[in-house]
Amino acid sequence: MNFSKRSRYGIRALVDLAVYGVYECVQLSDIANRNGISVKYLEQIFMALRKAGLIKSIKGPQGGYLLADKPEKIQIAQVIYALDGDYLLDAEEVVPGKNGETAAAAIQKEIIEPMNELVDQFLRKLTLKDLADRFEEYNEYAQHMYYI
């Protein structure tokens, strides 16, 4: 299982795109500035996201990036898969010998497979819209906080 900085930044950038790209294209530099991510690194991430069909780019003076689909149709599982590949736990390594083989089988069957199933269900259910909605809630709450 891998939830790399690349996936974290990619999800963060897509949330930004879901919030700020509703009515117009968003410049990569604006996403980078709002999220504290290097433009060069974000270019690499967006290349993978575009290849996966999750975003589209528009060229020209008013160009930038847009989501390729509605945020509620983009699963976080798709994003992580596009950026990191398979996000599930690796299969248990079988150690030669009777006890090693049966222990590995037990771990695989009782721990790894159920965890993979739960993680997969969770990431497929969670959408970009869910995260964008939470972002807007947290942002609104933060604007109403007063510091003394």
Side-chain angles (χ1 to χ4, degrees):
M1 183 170 166
N2 190 12
F3 191 50
S4 69
K5 187 175 279 193
R6 181 175 161 95
S7 282
R8 294 167 196 255
Y9 283 178
I11 293 168
R12 192 184 301 177
L14 287 177
V15 168
D16 188 287
L17 203 53
V19 171
Y20 295 103
V22 175
Y23 302 109
E24 62 186 7
C25 294
V26 179
Q27 299 287 319
L28 197 62
S29 59
D30 292 338
I31 296 170
N33 288 335
R34 280 192 292 265
N35 291 281
I37 304 170
S38 154
V39 174
K40 289 272 188 207
Y41 193 45
L42 209 49
E43 285 173 349
Q44 295 172 11
I45 290 170
F46 271 46
M47 191 180 334
L49 293 172
R50 195 173 66 238
K51 186 177 177 183
L54 297 172
I55 61 172
K56 54 187 172 181
S57 61
I58 309 296
K59 296 184 185 213
Q62 300 299 317
Y65 289 91
L66 295 169
L67 294 175
D69 209 341
K70 295 177 182 176
E72 57 269 17
K73 293 190 175 190
I74 298 175
Q75 302 168 342
I76 298 306
Q78 294 172 287
V79 178
I80 296 172
Y81 190 80
L83 295 172
D84 284 332
D86 192 6
Y87 52 79
L88 301 176
L89 292 172
D90 293 333
E92 180 65 11
E93 185 178 323
V94 176
V95 179
K98 186 176 191 251
N99 286 344
E101 290 172 14
T102 54
I107 291 169
Q108 180 68 34
K109 184 86 170 143
E110 301 302 322
I111 298 173
I112 294 174
E113 288 175 10
M115 283 181 65
N116 281 343
E117 187 176 324
L118 290 171
V119 167
D120 190 51
Q121 286 174 4
F122 174 75
L123 293 175
R124 287 185 186 281
K125 184 178 176 205
L126 187 63
T127 67
L128 191 55
K129 181 172 182 357
D130 296 327
L131 294 179
D133 289 348
R134 293 301 86 66
F135 167 82
E136 289 180 325
E137 286 174 16
Y138 296 149
N139 199 28
E140 186 176 314
Y141 177 75
Q143 289 177 1
H144 294 344
M145 290 196 60
Y146 297 99
Y147 296 96
I148 300 176

